[in-house]
């Protein structure tokens, strides 16, 4: 387990939007070996909602538009998945 000072010193250089984007990329990469479009669609929608609900004072406004795009793309990925 990493000490909290190491994590804190790493995150001080970035804003909340960048940390959320890193989380989205890591969870998407973690879901790829499962080969499930439904999981990718749910992950995309979930992070779209998180980006939309992040206050403007913590993240730059372009992350709001990223959340909106993820909310459009996520359901499309989920619906086009095969059973």
């Amino acid at each position: 387990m990493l000490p909290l000072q190491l994590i804190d010193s790493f995150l001080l250089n970035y804003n909340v939007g960048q940390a959320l984007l890193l989380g989205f990329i890591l969870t998407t990469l973690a879901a790829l070996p499962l080969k499930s479009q439904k999981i990718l669609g749910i992950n995309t929608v979930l992070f779209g909602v998180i980006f939309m609900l992040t206050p403007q004072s913590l993240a730059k406004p372009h992350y709001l538009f990223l959340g909106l795009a993820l909310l459009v793309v996520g359901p499309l990925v989920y619906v086009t998945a095969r059973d």
Side-chain angles (χ1 to χ4, degrees), residues 14-17 51-61 63-64:
Y14 304 102
N15 64 23
V16 173
F51 277 117
M52 292 289 289
L53 294 178
T54 303
Q56 293 287 324
S57 61
L58 296 177
K60 294 184 180 177
Y63 291 109
L64 175 72

Side-chain angles (χ1 to χ4, degrees), residues 22-82:
L22 177 65
F24 173 65
I25 291 170
L26 290 177
T27 56
T28 302
L29 289 175
L32 285 178
L34 299 175
K35 297 180 182 174
S36 173
Q37 273 188 307
K38 287 190 177 190
I39 292 176
L40 287 175
I42 291 170
N43 182 42
T44 305
V45 169
L46 178 68
F47 271 95
V49 169
I50 291 172
F51 277 117
M52 292 289 289
L53 294 178
T54 303
Q56 293 287 324
S57 61
L58 296 177
K60 294 184 180 177
H62 59 271
Y63 291 109
L64 175 72
F65 296 114
L66 175 63
L68 184 62
L70 291 176
L71 282 175
V72 171
V73 171
L76 292 174
V77 171
Y78 185 84
V79 169
T80 59
R82 296 181 188 256

Side-chain angles (χ1 to χ4, degrees), residues 2-23:
L2 294 173
L4 289 177
Q5 292 84 9
L6 181 65
I7 296 170
D8 188 40
S9 65
F10 175 75
L11 288 178
L12 283 176
N13 298 328
Y14 304 102
N15 64 23
V16 173
Q18 292 169 332
L20 287 174
L21 184 60
L22 177 65

